[in-house]
Amino acid sequence: MALKDSPEPYICPVKQLEFTLNTTRTCTSCGAVVFGQEKYNHLSLSLSAHLRHSLEHYFMPSPLECKCWDCSGSMASVSTHFLTLPRVLMLHVKRFCADDWEPKKVEDPMFIPEELTLQGLCGETVQPGDSTIDSQRVRSLGNNSVVNTPPNCPSSSASNGSDQQAKAADREKRQQTATVRYQPEPVYRLSSVISHLGDSLYTGHYITDLLDSHGSGWLCMDDARVRRTDVATVLRTRAHTAYILFYVGSGACEGDQAPKMQN
């Protein structure tokens, strides 16, 4: 008797939305650096005139009040970039704000591009084991690593050739066995727009414009009503109402390593 084919393992759809951000926290007093990694499945963006501007604002370095473990300094600069990329990038636009402690709907227009790249939002950071870091100055904290070496400060172990060769061999081994794949920077194309129609947080209606996966074009889904539309109409009419955007990456799979910035 022939055996039935085994069912394919279940894969949660949210996996396609997941990505990892790398955070670099630099003490403004002594230059000590803390690297951290955190998984996300969406980004919440402040509303601006262009979606690209909102993305860039999210990744801008920002000051942070925190205590340095090395010098007890109280301020640091925090910067973030993509470490891995999602198959589907979900972007939430903050269309509600607090006005005198009351939520207010913001209907300012935002330009929504049909194509989106993450150029300038991906970068490389020095990781523990690199030859520029003294191994005696690195402490591991779960997913974080603390480097107590100020920027551009030479490592005290740089003169030890055997240590450098061992570190280089270890890096090469880790790169060869890494499960994260490196891919060229993908182009993300708009695939769906969820819009909020209404004047306030407490009233309104949600509709969805989406690109039909079967290739028949764009559809506008409004409860039981489904009608055909096109991308030009979506980009024009949803500029004031877009609330959640979905972009699908071409040539990207969940977990792909983010491309590094070119010097």
Side-chain angles (χ1 to χ4, degrees):
M1 182 176 64
L3 296 176
K4 294 182 179 180
D5 294 337
S6 300
E8 295 184 0
Y10 173 77
I11 300 177
C12 179
V14 178
K15 288 288 293 182
Q16 298 194 67
L17 305 173
E18 292 179 349
F19 56 93
T20 303
L21 294 184
N22 194 93
T23 302
T24 304
R25 192 176 73 208
T26 306
C27 176
T28 56
S29 298
C30 70
V33 179
V34 177
F35 296 116
Q37 297 176 13
E38 190 171 353
K39 289 187 178 296
Y40 290 78
N41 56 30
H42 75 284
L43 295 177
S44 291
L45 306 179
S46 299
L47 183 63
S48 70
H50 198 296
L51 178 62
R52 178 68 193 188
H53 298 161
S54 296
L55 263 176
E56 292 174 348
H57 182 268
Y58 184 95
F59 286 90
M60 285 181 60
S62 59
L64 176 68
E65 185 175 352
C66 63
K67 184 176 181 179
C68 176
W69 288 14
D70 197 43
C71 72
S72 298
S74 60
M75 292 298 299
S77 176
V78 179
S79 59
T80 306
H81 65 256
F82 281 100
L83 187 64
T84 64
L85 300 176
R87 177 74 175 93
V88 180
L89 179 63
M90 180 168 64
L91 303 175
H92 161 240
V93 180
K94 298 178 182 178
R95 285 205 171 270
F96 296 95
C97 67
D99 185 13
D100 292 331
W101 299 98
E102 287 292 330
K104 177 184 177 182
K105 174 74 178 292
V106 182
E107 294 184 311
D108 295 344
M110 167 184 278
F111 179 80
I112 304 171
E114 184 179 1
E115 293 186 353
L116 187 67
T117 67
L118 304 181
Q119 181 180 5
L121 308 180
C122 307
E124 57 182 324
T125 51
V126 180
Q127 297 291 347
D130 285 358
S131 60
T132 56
I133 300 177
D134 186 344
S135 60
Q136 300 301 318
R137 293 171 177 254
V138 177
R139 300 193 300 271
S140 294
L141 298 172
N143 289 333
N144 297 335
S145 296
V146 182
V147 183
N148 292 326
T149 304
N152 302 322
C153 177
S155 168
S156 60
S157 62
S159 60
N160 192 326
S162 60
D163 287 347
Q164 298 305 316
Q165 292 177 359
K167 291 177 182 179
D170 181 66
R171 285 201 310 276
E172 183 177 356
K173 182 179 179 180
R174 286 188 285 109
Q175 291 172 357
Q176 290 175 350
T177 58
T179 57
V180 175
R181 300 174 300 280
Y182 174 82
Q183 295 286 346
E185 185 170 28
V187 175
Y188 284 85
R189 296 186 64 87
L190 185 66
S191 64
S192 180
V193 180
I194 299 176
S195 295
H196 177 267
L197 309 181
D199 297 330
S200 73
L201 179 66
Y202 307 107
T203 62
H205 180 59
Y206 290 93
I207 65 173
T208 301
D209 298 281
L210 61 86
L211 182 62
D212 181 16
S213 60
H214 297 291
S216 62
W218 281 80
L219 302 173
C220 178
M221 310 188 74
D222 184 354
D223 288 344
R225 292 185 57 203
V226 179
R227 65 180 185 273
R228 294 199 175 276
T229 183
D230 56 76
V231 65
T233 301
V234 172
L235 297 181
R236 183 182 70 256
T237 59
R238 305 311 176 204
H240 293 265
T241 60
Y243 189 55
I244 299 178
L245 307 168
F246 292 88
Y247 283 84
V248 176
S250 59
C253 296
E254 60 272 18
D256 281 351
Q257 183 173 339
K260 298 177 180 179
M261 291 188 299
Q262 300 295 323
N263 294 327

